[in-house]
């Protein structure tokens, strides 16, 4: 393990890495069941998508472990699977085979970008205050995910068009004295007390304790039998591409779809890597993540392989921050998470024993940790403060790391230019801001 992952160099141990990897897995295991729920609405086989989800998550996370030696996990992305289902297939009229083809094309373009010099230039062009804002924004974003997963906060007032949910009007406090919300709040307090007493592995212990508490509350369900997934069903989605059919809706919708997948995947990944690693002190003196370029390559490869298997875009998960908070610093944590996803292909119900209410406190607490990055922002300088605030605010409010980065980039460029400081803005920042503007125009035109 020392030879493979250089544990001493990263000031970590096998125990820390394994606990971190297990913690990350439990924090994101919900995707095993949520992703098939989304994609099966397009006509895809539920079991086939579940196997593809587990297998693509395992492959992507193992690629991250061995290519980059960083403690980040991958799986089909939330939001991206909704875009796949409700926008591409049910909204724009693409078949799921054509949608998988579009995902594959976006992955190939992403791979070309990350193996070119453009990759490093993109990361280096992001101003330091925006990097701090990205980290703080991700903290709020994952805390919001935790609140939603436990129904502490509920989205209500869905807008339905032609039988498809297209928006939510507002959120409200859930029933916090019963069921999942109550269990999550108990778990939050238990985990918070453990952390306050500086107990080793507090977040992981908090998940286990909350799961046990959930048994008498009826939130943790122990299955009577363990049913293996029908792995053979995977043939129903493997390599089901339709390259000729992707032009059936016209060239502009195709460009819009490819750009949307590309931008969201690329900047979700960049944001997660920089924000989470920065908060954990894993960045070098130049503000870059060592081997971060290889992590991006692993992400792009995973997207291509996920499309081949039969699932929407695979991306780096912000829930990796839960494992990092437990001390994970190397690819050994990712190896652990990847193995657990591989095991879930056969034993998915075991992963389902851990209720969302038990992992929600971990996400909320990591949000607390990550907010400290906001201290690095000069809030007295409004031309810095406004773009940073938009970056932070738009991530949870738009439910998208990419949109937070987009609003931050655009406002940074506009304000600096209007203030006569155009030369202070890297050329690539102008290009990135223009790319986000084009993406929004194409999406909402």
């Amino acid at each position: 393990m020392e030879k493979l992952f250089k544990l001493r160099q990263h000031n970590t141990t096998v125990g820390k890495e394994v606990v971190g990897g297990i913690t990350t897995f439990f924090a994101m295991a919900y995707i095993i069941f949520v992703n098939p729920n989304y994609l099966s609405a397009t006509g895809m086989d539920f079991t086939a998508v579940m196997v593809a989800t587990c297998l693509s998550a395992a492959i992507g996370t193992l690629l991250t472990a061995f290519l980059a030696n960083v403690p980040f996990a991958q799986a089909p992305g939330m939001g991206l699977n909704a875009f796949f289902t409700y926008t591409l297939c049910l909204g724009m009229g693409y078949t799921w085979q054509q949608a998988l083809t579009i995902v594959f094309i976006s992955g190939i373009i992403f791979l070309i970008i990350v193996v070119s010099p453009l990759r490093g230039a993109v990361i280096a062009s992001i101003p330091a205050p925006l990097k701090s804002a990205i980290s703080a924004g991700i903290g709020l974003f994952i805390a919001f995910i935790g609140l939603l997963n436990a129904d502490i906060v509920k989205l209500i007032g869905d807008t339905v068009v032609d039988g498809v949910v297209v928006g939510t009007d507002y959120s409200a406090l859930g029933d916090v004295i019963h069921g999942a919300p109550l269990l999550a709040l108990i778990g939050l307090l238990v985990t918070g007390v453990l952390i306050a007493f500086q107990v080793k592995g507090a977040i992981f212990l908090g998940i286990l304790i909350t799961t046990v508490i959930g048994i008498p509350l009826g939130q943790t369900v122990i299955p009577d039998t363990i049913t293996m997934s029908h792995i053979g069903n995977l043939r129903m989605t493997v390599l089901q591409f339709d390259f000729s059919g992707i032009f059936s809706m016209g060239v502009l919708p195709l460009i819009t779809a490819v750009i949307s997948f590309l931008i969201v995947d690329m900047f979700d990944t960049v944001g997660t890597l920089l924000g989470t690693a920065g908060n954990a002190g894993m960045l070098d003196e130049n503000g870059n993540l060592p081997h971060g370029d290889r992590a991006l390559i692993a992400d792009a490869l995973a997207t291509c392989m996920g499309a081949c298997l039969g699932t929407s875009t695979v991306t780096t998960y912000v829930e990796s921050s839960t494992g990092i908070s437990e001390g994970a610093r190397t690819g050994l944590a990712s190896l652990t998470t990847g193995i657990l996803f591989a095991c879930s292909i056969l034993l998915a119900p075991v992963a389902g024993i851990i209720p969302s209410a038990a992992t929600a406190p971990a996400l909320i607490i990591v949000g607390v940790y990550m907010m400290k990055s906001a201290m690095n922002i000069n809030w007295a300088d409004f031309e810095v403060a406004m773009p940073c605030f938009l970056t932070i605010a738009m991530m949870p409010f738009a439910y998208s790391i990419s949109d937070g980065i987009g609003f931050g980039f655009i406002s940074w460029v506009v304000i600096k230019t209007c203030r006569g400081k155009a030369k202070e803005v890297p050329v690539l920042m102008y290009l990135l801001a223009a790319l986000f503007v084009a993406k929004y125009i194409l999406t909402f035109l």
Side-chain angles (χ1 to χ4, degrees):
M1 292 302 170
E2 171 60 32
K3 183 178 180 180
L4 277 174
F5 300 109
K6 299 178 175 59
L7 302 180
R8 281 193 290 270
Q9 179 181 325
H10 291 88
N11 192 30
T12 185
T13 64
V14 171
K16 286 182 181 179
E17 297 300 305
V18 171
V19 168
I22 295 172
T23 301
T24 294
F25 171 76
F26 282 138
M28 57 188 290
Y30 65 87
I31 196 62
I32 296 172
F33 308 99
V34 174
N35 197 50
N37 276 330
Y38 273 99
L39 269 58
S40 61
T42 69
M44 301 179 74
D45 180 78
F46 182 96
T47 307
V49 176
M50 185 173 74
V51 176
T53 299
C54 294
L55 191 55
S56 63
I59 292 172
T61 305
L62 292 175
L63 282 171
T64 302
F66 292 109
L67 282 181
N69 192 25
V70 290
F72 290 90
Q74 296 192 55
M78 288 296 295
L80 289 162
N81 52 13
F83 182 80
F84 181 101
T85 299
Y86 297 115
T87 300
L88 255 64
C89 295
L90 301 184
M92 299 172 69
Y94 287 106
T95 65
W96 61 263
Q97 292 92 340
Q98 293 164 356
L100 284 177
T101 309
I102 292 171
V103 170
F104 180 74
I105 292 172
S106 71
I108 292 295
I109 296 174
F110 187 16
L111 182 60
I112 292 172
I113 291 174
V114 297
V115 297
S116 72
L118 185 60
R119 173 206 63 236
V122 169
I123 297 176
S125 69
I126 303 174
L130 283 181
K131 288 181 179 178
S132 296
I134 289 170
S135 182
I138 289 174
L140 279 182
F141 179 65
I142 62 176
F144 188 47
I145 292 174
L147 293 170
L148 289 174
N149 285 351
D151 283 339
I152 296 173
V153 172
K154 302 185 70 172
L155 297 178
I156 60 177
D158 290 331
T159 302
V160 181
V161 177
D162 295 331
V164 178
V165 177
V166 296
T168 305
D169 295 328
Y170 56 93
S171 59
L173 187 66
D175 183 358
V176 295
I177 62 172
H178 297 98
L182 174 61
L183 177 60
L185 290 175
I186 293 172
L188 182 61
L189 294 175
V190 168
T191 309
V193 169
L194 291 174
I195 292 173
F197 277 102
Q198 299 182 347
V199 175
K200 296 292 184 182
I203 292 178
F204 179 59
L205 286 175
I207 292 174
L208 296 181
I209 293 171
T210 307
T211 299
V212 173
I213 295 173
I215 296 175
L217 293 179
Q219 298 301 309
T220 301
V221 180
I222 308 297
D224 296 327
T225 58
I226 301 299
T227 303
M228 290 189 180
S229 305
H230 301 291
I231 300 177
N233 284 15
L234 186 61
R235 68 179 184 276
M236 300 172 68
T237 57
V238 169
L239 297 177
Q240 295 296 311
F241 295 129
D242 180 8
F243 284 95
S244 61
I246 59 175
F247 296 98
S248 60
M249 303 299 164
V251 176
L252 183 59
L254 175 61
I255 293 174
T256 301
V258 171
I259 289 178
S260 296
F261 275 124
L262 174 63
I263 290 179
V264 173
D265 189 16
M266 181 165 66
F267 284 99
D268 267 13
T269 302
V270 170
T272 298
L273 292 175
L274 291 180
T276 305
N279 181 71
M282 295 169 61
L283 301 182
D284 60 22
E285 63 277 5
N286 297 317
N288 298 318
L289 175 65
H291 301 309
D293 54 344
R294 299 181 185 179
L296 290 172
I297 292 173
D299 191 290
L301 286 171
T303 291
C304 297
M305 297 183 75
C308 291
L309 292 169
T311 185
S312 53
T313 302
V314 177
T315 189
T316 303
Y317 258 58
V318 71
E319 283 87 347
S320 304
S321 55
T322 58
I324 292 172
S325 295
E326 288 288 15
R329 292 294 182 273
T330 73
L332 178 54
S334 300
L335 173 61
T336 304
T337 305
I339 290 173
L340 289 173
F341 268 116
C343 292
S344 294
I345 297 173
L346 297 175
L347 302 173
V350 174
I353 292 174
I354 307 294
S356 295
T359 58
L363 299 178
I364 296 168
I365 286 172
V366 170
V368 175
Y369 283 143
M370 297 188 70
M371 281 304 297
K372 71 179 183 181
S373 297
M375 294 189 300
N376 300 326
I377 300 169
N378 182 9
W379 295 104
D381 185 350
F382 195 78
E383 66 186 61
V384 170
M386 181 177 168
C388 289
F389 174 78
L390 288 175
T391 300
I392 294 171
M394 288 303 295
M395 287 188 188
F397 293 154
Y399 204 75
S400 168
I401 294 173
S402 178
D403 285 332
I405 293 174
F407 274 68
F409 280 17
I410 294 169
S411 58
W412 181 279
V413 168
V414 171
I415 291 177
K416 287 290 186 181
T417 301
C418 292
R419 287 276 292 156
K421 300 180 180 180
K423 293 183 179 179
E424 295 182 7
V425 181
V427 174
L428 194 54
M429 275 291 288
Y430 287 104
L431 296 176
L432 294 173
L435 188 61
F436 274 107
V437 170
K439 182 248 187 182
Y440 292 130
I441 291 174
L442 290 172
T443 301
F444 299 108
L445 189 64

